[in-house]
Amino acid sequence: LAAQQQRAAENPGSILMRTINDSLPIALVVLAGILLLPFFIRAFFYFVLAPLASRLPPIRILPNDRAPAIAPATPSGVSAAIDIHSGEELLVQPGYLQSSSRPARKQTKWFLNPRLPFASIASGMFALTRVRPEGDSATHVVVSSLEDALGEVGVIELPQGTAMVVHPRSLAGIVKPAGRPVAITRHWRLGSLHAWLTLQLRYLVFHGPCRLILKGCRGVRAEEPRPGQPRLINQAATLGFSANLDYQTVRCETFVPYLRGREELFNDLFAGGPGRYVYEEMPSRGGRHGVSGRGLEGFTDAVLKAFGI
């Protein structure tokens, strides 16, 4: 009997079954933890962090009640025809320059702004094509995406004295005074609880006079909040907003769509003015997942968001 018991104990099948019986409960617990971890992370963001950010008062990046009004943007389209007058120049991504008139001078502009090399590279606004008219005649340029079938472009003009927070990766190009760098200021909010809860630590503000050429999936819209009626939009769709608007982030109203990844954790709320906010029709372009996104893509997007890119 002892010999038979020893042979049974040394049988490979018996050893395998004994190992499985000993390890199976632990393996099931680990597997359940892996499967439920994204749920617990999203639930923590939704029920703990998001309400804290929603209760904070709105912020203004550059308060200015006397800022000139921004004219309504022209309807976006697959292409935008732009006249570059004498004393102006166009900086555009090569993949968006569809056609141009001659004579015109074209050169390579390595960075959107030499003081912001990281933001220029991370947003794709590097190795740009600079177009300047020859003489006093204007140069006619058509800007359109040569790769994105759903991409549209819209043009919004910022007069002198106006400022707009813009994510550089939403730019297809910019028309600005020739010989002058793009007027961009950096505004950090390291001491703001709102900034840390929403991971928006820096805002990049573009100052007029200039014309911003913004790209968006299936269309670009620019709207103005009505008095006493704040406007709420999906944060993933926001391309920019006037620096003097009251800006606030609020938690999305439904948990299940957020849990399924159908909706972002925060919505952007704009009020006050005068000013406009700009957003794209379909916020899925570029895979913006925010801080709660999965894997390296979500982490990279969170870092770009923190630096205002």
Side-chain angles (χ1 to χ4, degrees):
L1 181 60
Q4 292 179 358
Q5 290 177 346
Q6 183 177 359
R7 285 195 298 270
E10 295 174 354
N11 185 280
S14 300
I15 296 175
L16 179 60
M17 292 303 299
R18 188 166 56 250
T19 303
I20 292 177
N21 292 333
D22 294 340
S23 305
L24 185 60
I26 299 177
L28 291 177
V29 171
V30 173
L31 178 61
I34 294 175
L35 294 177
L36 294 177
L37 183 60
F39 170 79
F40 287 119
I41 292 177
R42 286 182 172 267
F44 176 76
F45 285 147
Y46 189 86
F47 293 106
V48 179
L49 292 184
L52 293 177
S54 300
R55 287 194 291 266
L56 296 175
I59 62 174
R60 281 192 179 188
I61 307 302
L62 288 176
N64 185 8
D65 295 332
R66 298 183 179 179
I70 299 177
T74 57
S76 65
V78 176
S79 62
I82 301 173
D83 289 325
I84 309 171
H85 302 282
S86 177
E88 295 182 331
E89 64 181 11
L90 168 68
L91 301 180
V92 63
Q93 294 186 23
Y96 279 83
L97 183 59
Q98 188 179 72
S99 64
S100 60
S101 302
R102 297 189 66 181
R105 290 178 293 171
K106 295 182 181 178
Q107 295 174 312
T108 298
K109 178 72 172 179
W110 287 107
F111 298 113
L112 175 66
N113 189 306
R115 298 186 304 168
L116 299 169
F118 172 76
S120 300
I121 295 175
S123 62
M125 294 297 291
F126 70 100
L128 305 172
T129 299
R130 178 168 59 188
V131 182
R132 290 182 177 177
E134 287 279 5
D136 297 331
S137 300
T139 295
H140 187 71
V141 175
V142 176
V143 177
S144 177
S145 176
L146 304 180
E147 300 175 355
D148 188 0
L150 295 177
E152 293 190 9
V153 291
V155 181
I156 184 167
E157 184 172 358
L158 302 184
Q160 181 72 36
T162 59
M164 176 171 283
V165 178
V166 177
H167 305 306
R169 63 176 173 175
S170 303
L171 283 173
I174 183 172
V175 180
K176 65 177 187 67
R180 292 165 50 184
V182 181
I184 306 176
T185 56
R186 292 164 286 188
H187 300 267
W188 292 88
R189 291 295 185 268
L190 297 179
S192 170
L193 180 60
H194 175 276
W196 286 102
L197 289 176
T198 59
L199 276 186
Q200 298 182 87
L201 305 180
R202 186 181 72 171
Y203 296 87
L204 297 179
V205 178
F206 288 68
H207 297 262
C210 65
R211 283 179 282 171
L212 302 175
I213 307 172
L214 299 172
K215 56 185 178 181
C217 185
R218 214 177 64 183
V220 177
R221 294 182 62 89
E223 298 178 354
E224 185 175 12
R226 298 178 180 178
Q229 297 181 2
R231 293 287 292 175
L232 188 71
I233 64 173
N234 190 330
Q235 188 177 79
T238 302
L239 303 180
F241 56 93
S242 295
N244 61 313
L245 284 180
D246 291 330
Y247 169 61
Q248 186 178 9
T249 52
V250 297
R251 186 183 68 177
C252 67
E253 299 173 342
T254 52
F255 175 67
V256 174
Y258 164 69
L259 182 63
R260 298 178 57 200
R262 301 292 184 180
E263 191 171 350
E264 292 293 316
L265 176 61
F266 290 109
N267 291 325
D268 286 339
L269 187 69
F270 300 104
R276 296 185 180 273
Y277 57 93
V278 189
Y279 62 95
E280 60 181 341
E281 299 279 4
M282 183 182 293
S284 60
R285 179 184 59 82
R288 301 174 184 179
H289 297 285
V291 66
S292 59
R294 297 180 180 179
L296 184 60
E297 188 177 22
F299 173 77
T300 303
D301 189 74
V303 172
L304 295 178
K305 177 182 177 182
F307 285 92
I309 300 174

